[in-house]
Amino acid sequence: MKRTPGPVIMFDVVGTTLSDADIDRLEQPMTGGIILFARHFQDRAALFALTDAIRAVREDILIAIDHEDDRVQRFRTDGFTMLPAPGKLGALCGTRMC
């Protein structure tokens, strides 16, 4: 499905698999992205299956994770890299663009 120009929204899905309602929302042209939270994570394989299912409905969709800083990192185990807080990244980069 090709998205038409105009406003877009992001939403989350209900669980670790897509429901019929999730698929209906994904198919809407105003849907621009999906946000994943900790409740969507059972293990790495299940997360990959979920993102593959999302991409099967809309391969052009943005899939994002609600990650704020080192206090809130949704996926921390099963091979995911621990990310430093954005402020720490900025300090590492100094004034140059990284």
Side-chain angles (χ1 to χ4, degrees), residues 3 18 22 33 49 51 57 72-73 81 85 92 94 98:
R3 204 186 78 68
L18 293 181
D22 292 329
T51 58
V57 176
V72 180
Q73 182 172 342
T81 300
L92 292 171
C98 293

Side-chain angles (χ1 to χ4, degrees), residues 20-81:
D20 290 340
D22 292 329
I23 292 169
D24 288 343
R25 286 184 299 209
L26 281 167
E27 291 175 336
Q28 298 301 313
M30 288 179 58
T31 299
I34 297 293
I35 302 173
L36 300 178
F37 295 92
R39 71 176 177 276
H40 298 114
F41 183 76
Q42 291 176 329
D43 57 43
R44 188 179 186 95
L47 186 64
F48 278 38
L50 176 59
T51 58
D52 286 348
I54 292 167
R55 294 267 186 232
V57 176
R58 284 279 300 276
E59 81 178 24
D60 66 332
I61 199 136
L62 173 69
I63 300 175
I65 298 170
D66 180 41
H67 172 76
E68 295 155 25
D69 60 30
D70 58 346
R71 291 172 292 166
V72 180
Q73 182 172 342
R74 303 297 177 202
F75 310 140
R76 295 176 173 254
T77 61
D78 204 6
F80 286 92
T81 300

